[in-house]
Amino acid sequence: MKVLARAGVAALEGRSEEAVILYREAIDLYDQARFRFSAALTRLLALTLLPGEPAVADWEAEARSFFEFVKSPPLLSLMDAAVASRAGQQA
């Protein structure tokens, strides 16, 4: 999905506002297609690449809920690391 790649590039280049818009677009597309796993991974990716961005903070709960539902300890560990990184950015 091109929009997801563009979001990642924007995040890595420090264009946070653009990245948030593009991640939101990708998540909306995944949600419309009922690709819950891809939507959750995209939320995790945004949380990881944009640790200081308040606009993505509310995405944690939904992604975590899905990773708990599918019983994925590795993805939950990645979520915990992303949340810890966010906490470090905000401290």
Side-chain angles (χ1 to χ4, degrees), residues 48-64:
T48 301
L49 292 179
L50 300 169
E53 182 56 54
V56 301
D58 62 331
W59 295 351
E60 177 204 346
E62 200 161 345
R64 183 179 297 281

Side-chain angles (χ1 to χ4, degrees), residues 30 34-43 66-67 70 72 75:
Y30 284 137
R34 298 185 183 175
F35 293 167
R36 292 185 63 211
F37 184 74
S38 296
L41 284 178
T42 301
R43 287 180 176 95
F66 181 78
F67 297 146
V70 298
S72 177
L75 291 172

Side-chain angles (χ1 to χ4, degrees), residues 4 10 20-21 23 25-27 30-33 38 40 46 48 50 57 61 71 75 83-84 86 88 91:
L4 184 56
V20 168
I21 291 167
Y23 277 126
E25 183 179 338
I27 290 166
Y30 284 137
D31 284 342
Q32 288 171 12
S38 296
T48 301
L50 300 169
K71 297 176 176 51
L75 291 172
V83 170
R86 291 184 61 73

Side-chain angles (χ1 to χ4, degrees), residues 71-90:
K71 297 176 176 51
S72 177
L75 291 172
L76 287 167
S77 292
L78 289 172
M79 178 63 68
D80 290 341
V83 170
S85 177
R86 291 184 61 73
Q89 290 279 329
Q90 295 171 356

